[in-house]
Amino acid sequence: MLMTNIVIATFYHFTKFTDLKSLCEHLTHKLDMCGLKGTVLLASEGINGTLAGSQENIDSGLEVLRNLPNSKMISHRESNADSMPFFRLKIRVKNEIVTMKVSNINPPEQSGTYVSPKDWNKLIIDPETVVIDARNSFEVEMGTFQRALNPQTNTFSELPKWIDRNFEKLKNANIAMFCTGGIRCEKATSYLKLKGINNAFHLKGGILNYLDSVDKTQSLWNGECFVFDYRVSVIHKLKVGQHKLCHACRHPVSPTK
């Protein structure tokens, strides 16, 4: 169904949850009552998701989320679309809200230093900085920052292995890491700290925050940013990009390919 003035809210929050089954049932009921669609992941380590609806419905849904245990500080980012990017509401219980398969890290207590979008360019143009794209290869191919390394991962759980293989090159460097909305970098820089790499920085709010905040004329971003909904990709000011999902392989493709 075609709709206008759809608000899309992305969010994540690391905290400790218990009784995930009851929490899932609670959120399914409450967010459905708010008239929202999208996907929310729950795990003992926190919550991660994207929801879409009218501004009024989004505001109501965010109030529900912030009333969860230890969740008053949930931050979110909003963008807009002309049509609903989700078919239904899905609340899922997972082992992790973003799968890294490393058990002894603690992002709320130990992760990299946030860098705001306005300060990001200065950090990544420094030749002493190693810039790492923490996303998967197909995402990097769609767009990335200047000077960024592509770890050539197919899943996020492969990134720690890449860090281990390149540890000698990374251990004394300034590391600038980024991902779509920031959640993967919370874990990845926590892993860097665990390995003894202390000069770890990550882009606050991720690429989405940068594209929304930094003027295109000042931007060091090239290409489009993949998003995990039916918009497929976004560009500066979070306008919908040109990529579409291939119905055969379910991978993003551009009109030029």
Side-chain angles (χ1 to χ4, degrees):
M1 178 174 64
L2 186 66
M3 304 177 70
T4 58
N5 300 319
I6 296 296
V7 178
I8 302 165
T10 57
F11 55 89
Y12 71 87
H13 183 59
F14 285 99
T15 188
K16 296 297 183 184
F17 285 141
T18 58
D19 196 0
L20 293 173
K21 181 179 178 182
S22 295
L23 193 58
C24 180
E25 292 172 352
H26 168 77
L27 278 183
T28 299
H29 173 69
K30 289 289 188 178
L31 295 180
D32 185 56
M33 291 291 290
C34 291
L36 295 170
K37 296 181 181 180
T39 300
V40 177
L41 304 181
L42 292 169
S44 58
E45 67 179 1
I47 187 169
N48 176 28
T50 305
L51 293 169
S54 68
Q55 185 69 68
E56 180 180 2
N57 291 348
I58 286 292
D59 291 343
S60 297
L62 290 170
E63 183 177 356
V64 169
L65 295 175
R66 291 181 177 129
N67 281 327
L68 297 176
N70 307 311
S71 298
K72 293 290 185 185
M73 301 304 293
I74 286 180
S75 62
H76 76 286
R77 175 149 299 277
E78 293 183 2
S79 57
N80 296 91
D82 292 329
S83 59
M84 174 58 72
F86 298 102
F87 289 137
R88 60 189 182 277
L89 176 67
K90 296 183 289 186
I91 316 293
R92 294 177 172 173
V93 173
K94 297 284 189 177
N95 291 327
E96 301 176 68
I97 54 175
V98 58
T99 303
M100 194 179 194
K101 297 182 180 178
V102 176
S103 59
N104 55 340
I105 60 171
N106 187 358
E109 299 295 330
Q110 185 184 54
S111 61
T113 302
Y114 285 129
V115 179
S116 69
K118 68 181 180 66
D119 296 323
W120 182 249
N121 286 1
K122 182 179 178 180
L123 175 64
I124 68 172
I125 63 174
D126 186 339
E128 299 300 315
T129 300
V130 177
V131 187
I132 301 174
D133 195 326
R135 302 172 302 151
N136 297 330
S137 287
F138 81 91
E139 297 171 83
V140 180
E141 290 168 3
M142 290 175 60
T144 193
F145 282 107
Q146 293 179 23
R147 299 191 63 248
L149 297 178
N150 178 3
Q152 299 288 336
T153 58
N154 294 314
T155 65
F156 182 55
S157 60
E158 295 176 6
L159 187 60
K161 299 173 186 176
W162 181 87
I163 292 171
D164 292 347
R165 289 196 302 270
N166 292 274
F167 180 76
E168 290 301 316
K169 299 176 183 177
L170 302 176
K171 65 180 182 180
N172 295 317
N174 288 329
I175 308 297
M177 190 170 280
F178 64 92
C179 57
T180 307
I183 186 171
R184 282 180 275 190
C185 290
E186 296 275 2
K187 279 196 160 184
T189 57
S190 184
Y191 185 74
L192 290 174
K193 289 288 189 95
L194 179 69
K195 300 291 291 185
I197 301 174
N198 293 315
N199 293 329
F201 304 87
H202 54 127
L203 178 59
K204 186 173 179 60
I207 300 163
L208 297 181
N209 191 20
Y210 182 93
L211 293 179
D212 194 32
S213 304
V214 175
D215 190 271
K216 186 177 181 180
T217 60
Q218 304 297 319
S219 176
L220 298 181
W221 174 265
N222 296 315
E224 300 186 359
C225 177
F226 178 79
V227 290
F228 295 87
D229 58 58
Y230 285 92
R231 292 174 296 171
V232 183
S233 67
V234 295
I235 55 176
H236 285 89
K237 298 305 175 185
L238 303 184
K239 295 179 180 179
V240 178
Q242 296 187 357
H243 281 77
K244 304 295 180 184
L245 278 184
C246 173
H247 293 294
C249 69
R250 306 306 298 169
H251 277 73
V253 293
S254 72
T256 58
K257 291 184 178 181

